[in-house]
Amino acid sequence: MAIPLFTTSLLFFFFFSSVTVAKTHRFVQSIPPSSLGLHQPQKLSHLHFFFHDVVGGRNQTAVRVAAAPTTDKSSTLFGAVVMMDDPLTELPDADSTVVGRAQGIYASASTTELGFLMAMNFAFTQGKYNGSSLAVLGRNTVESAVREMPVVGGSGLFRFARGYAQAKTHSMSMWEAVVEYDVYVLHY
């Protein structure tokens, strides 16, 4: 059976036009790690600080921005979404040196326990890590003694970071939770 000339021409056109496009437009390109300064060995850093989440009062740093119609009837506040810009301090005292901010959101994601989905950046403002940040994304079961959340990336001196953060509630009052963080990260 012979293939009509028009069909052959059309197939020829699509084949060569796709080959041409593939050569002129590269979406992914392999590069050597050294071009990004990744030739040196990775470092392991341990950061220790206190997170101050203030949900009411004069110096509020966390605000509810969304809720489901049933959120206020839920014992776990399921469906609440909170935006935060919480100070990170060297010591548990709110008046101690601020070393950065925890900026992001947390949302009540459990119907059976107080469990938050945390999506936040630790943006550092002091010392060697000033201007660098770490990205944390994970589950925070607030009533557990120690919670572990993954560090999924970073910027500045924490570029290509990976690791984990451990959170322990230091104190809690009507308006403020103070949480102790130990963060362990591999980075270049």
Side-chain angles (χ1 to χ4, degrees), residues 27-127:
F27 175 67
V28 177
Q29 179 180 349
S30 294
I31 60 173
S34 61
S35 69
L36 295 175
L38 301 179
H39 50 274
Q40 69 265 14
Q42 287 187 311
K43 300 172 194 140
L44 175 63
S45 293
H46 171 226
L47 294 95
H48 181 260
F49 50 81
F50 293 84
F51 167 109
H52 299 263
D53 191 51
V54 183
V55 297
R58 254 181 352 125
N59 299 318
Q60 189 170 354
T61 61
V63 109
R64 188 159 88 172
V65 294
T70 58
T71 294
D72 291 329
K73 295 176 189 133
S74 166
S75 62
T76 64
L77 297 174
F78 180 68
V81 179
V82 176
M83 184 69 61
M84 68 178 156
D85 183 15
D86 294 340
L88 305 175
T89 61
E90 281 186 347
L91 302 171
D93 182 2
D95 293 327
S96 70
T97 303
V98 174
V99 297
R101 310 288 299 184
Q103 298 171 326
I105 62 171
Y106 56 91
S108 181
S110 176
T111 59
T112 59
E113 64 182 330
L114 197 53
F116 294 138
L117 163 68
M118 306 290 289
M120 63 182 164
N121 290 308
F122 292 141
F124 298 102
T125 58
Q126 293 293 317

